[in-house]
Amino acid sequence: MNNIVEIKNINLFYGNNHILKDISIEIKEKDFFTFLGPSGCGKTTLLRLIAGFEKSKSGEVFISGNEISNLNPWERDVGMVFQNYALWPHMSVFKNISFGLEEKKFSRSEINERVKEVLKLVDLTGLSERYPYQLSGGQQQRVALARTLIVKPKVLLLDEPLSNLDAKLRIQMRKELLEMHRKLGITIIFVTHDQEEANSMSDTIAVFDKGIVQQIGKPIDLYNNPKNLFVANFLGTTNIIDGSVYKNNDENYFKSSKGLIIKNVLSYNSSECKILLRPQNLYLEKPNSEILFQEFEAKIISKEFLGNIIRYIINLNDHILILDTAHEINRKIYNSDEIIKIYLDSKKIKTF
């Protein structure tokens, strides 16, 4: 599949602040590509640069092989949905959606036909004469999407479009966005700080921090094989333990700064390191398998009921760790101060 967007060596400054630092990204046609990172990391700035609302000091942006850095926003064949939707309050749904076509002098019959099609696509048929204040948050978002889609852009840019919705509606709108993506086969670049949103929707994720792309890949690959501790922490809850690795009888042992010893860890090219332990890879019961699980004793500090899982905060050798276990009816639930046995498989430990 061909690349539809290519970002090459982009550097952008606000005064003396280096906002985007030598960014290079390739985005394939029809991909659902997400820029993920904390607030202020540069992800929205890069999206606005692709749209034509920001200018870089150096670097190039290509769409369908054409360099677009010097083109106006309306000449770039992209459509952008802003975080606040930016609907005109004095215009009806129909007028909000048709505005772009009217500016381009489309015929009235073609405008009517396209508005009808896009209203059906975003499930707003019958609401064309309403005004934004008469719509729910989810409906307003659909109007913003429809207004962008009606001009048939090659690339759809979405700047945290779900952040203003309540939790239940966000989940519903995720499904609707993915269904629309499937139907249209359009390339989407999606900006979010929400790791769950990114993991559940994306074909590919670029993780940003401090203006630098830390890692690019499929969600499951980034989660399982993070390149560094920032990616590991940002793409899910994790436990990080400081220590060092040493050899004994041709086996690698990890010894934490507080004396916790774990054997059979993967080799590491430096004695001082950190290990990453995902909460679901600590077990309250020894799994029935041929794997040699190591057994430890720990103390329950507290617990959280999260519906499908019970999250325990435990003290293991003076390390405060998170342990997640599936919630099942009639399964024992432990309380604070109880002493428990936990098990781990050293092959599931990542070493940095």
Side-chain angles (χ1 to χ4, degrees), residues 88-242:
W88 287 286
H90 63 286
M91 291 187 184
S92 66
V93 167
F94 184 98
K95 284 290 188 181
N96 265 283
I97 293 172
S98 66
F99 182 83
L101 298 186
E102 290 175 352
E103 288 294 297
K104 293 182 177 182
K105 310 300 183 187
F106 276 66
S107 69
R108 178 51 53 188
S109 60
E110 186 165 1
I111 289 173
N112 290 339
E113 188 59 33
R114 282 219 204 173
V115 171
K116 182 179 177 182
E117 287 175 3
V118 81
L119 283 172
K120 184 177 180 182
L121 175 68
V122 299
D123 197 23
L124 288 176
T125 300
L127 301 183
S128 63
E129 297 309 312
R130 290 195 186 181
Y131 287 81
Y133 73 89
Q134 297 172 311
L135 303 175
S136 68
Q139 289 169 332
Q140 288 180 30
Q141 190 215 48
R142 291 191 190 103
V143 174
L145 275 170
R147 183 179 61 187
T148 303
L149 291 171
I150 199 167
V151 297
K152 299 183 178 179
K154 287 182 179 177
V155 182
L156 178 62
L157 310 176
L158 303 177
D159 183 16
E160 305 219 35
L162 309 182
S163 61
N164 295 327
L165 307 178
D166 62 56
K168 188 174 181 181
L169 188 53
R170 266 202 310 273
I171 293 171
Q172 177 189 330
M173 290 306 298
R174 280 185 212 164
K175 294 176 182 175
E176 292 184 10
L177 274 175
L178 288 173
E179 180 62 18
M180 184 195 70
H181 178 243
R182 186 188 64 78
K183 283 181 181 176
L184 294 177
I186 192 172
T187 304
I188 291 178
I189 305 178
F190 184 85
V191 163
T192 184
H193 63 273
D194 188 314
Q195 48 143 327
E196 182 179 311
E197 209 164 79
N199 284 334
S200 65
M201 298 178 71
S202 312
D203 296 314
T204 312
I205 295 174
V207 182
F208 284 70
D209 185 40
K210 298 176 182 175
I212 297 169
V213 175
Q214 300 292 321
Q215 191 172 358
I216 299 174
K218 296 183 182 302
I220 196 165
D221 294 334
L222 296 181
Y223 185 87
N224 288 337
N225 297 292
K227 182 180 177 181
N228 55 41
L229 288 172
F230 177 83
V231 176
N233 275 312
F234 206 80
L235 280 173
T237 305
T238 192
N239 299 298
I240 306 290
I241 304 176
D242 291 312

Side-chain angles (χ1 to χ4, degrees), residues 53-68:
F53 301 120
E54 300 283 356
K55 293 290 184 183
S56 62
K57 184 175 180 64
S58 62
E60 300 170 300
V61 179
F62 295 82
I63 293 181
S64 297
N66 300 312
E67 216 286 326
I68 62 164

Side-chain angles (χ1 to χ4, degrees), residues 283-294:
Y283 303 95
L284 286 173
E285 299 162 5
K286 192 173 183 179
N288 184 19
S289 73
E290 300 301 316
I291 297 171
L292 184 62
F293 282 84
Q294 295 174 61

Side-chain angles (χ1 to χ4, degrees), residues 237-242 254 256 258 260 262 275-283 296-304 310-324 340 342-344 349:
T237 305
T238 192
N239 299 298
I240 306 290
I241 304 176
D242 291 312
F254 171 80
S256 79
K258 297 178 180 178
L260 174 67
I262 302 172
I275 62 169
L276 179 155
L277 267 171
R278 295 289 187 191
Q280 68 272 23
N281 294 145
L282 292 168
Y283 303 95
F296 300 89
E297 200 171 78
K299 183 179 181 180
I300 301 286
I301 297 174
S302 62
K303 68 175 184 295
E304 297 177 66
I310 304 289
R311 172 162 290 172
Y312 292 101
I313 309 301
I314 64 173
N315 184 326
L316 173 61
N317 223 99
D318 290 330
H319 295 286
I320 307 305
L321 306 178
I322 300 169
L323 182 155
D324 288 345
I340 59 170
I342 65 167
Y343 303 86
L344 66 85
I349 293 173

Side-chain angles (χ1 to χ4, degrees), residues 35-60:
F35 296 166
L36 174 67
S39 296
C41 68
K43 56 190 187 296
T44 292
T45 301
L46 182 59
L47 195 77
R48 289 175 57 83
L49 185 140
I50 296 169
F53 301 120
E54 300 283 356
K55 293 290 184 183
S56 62
K57 184 175 180 64
S58 62
E60 300 170 300

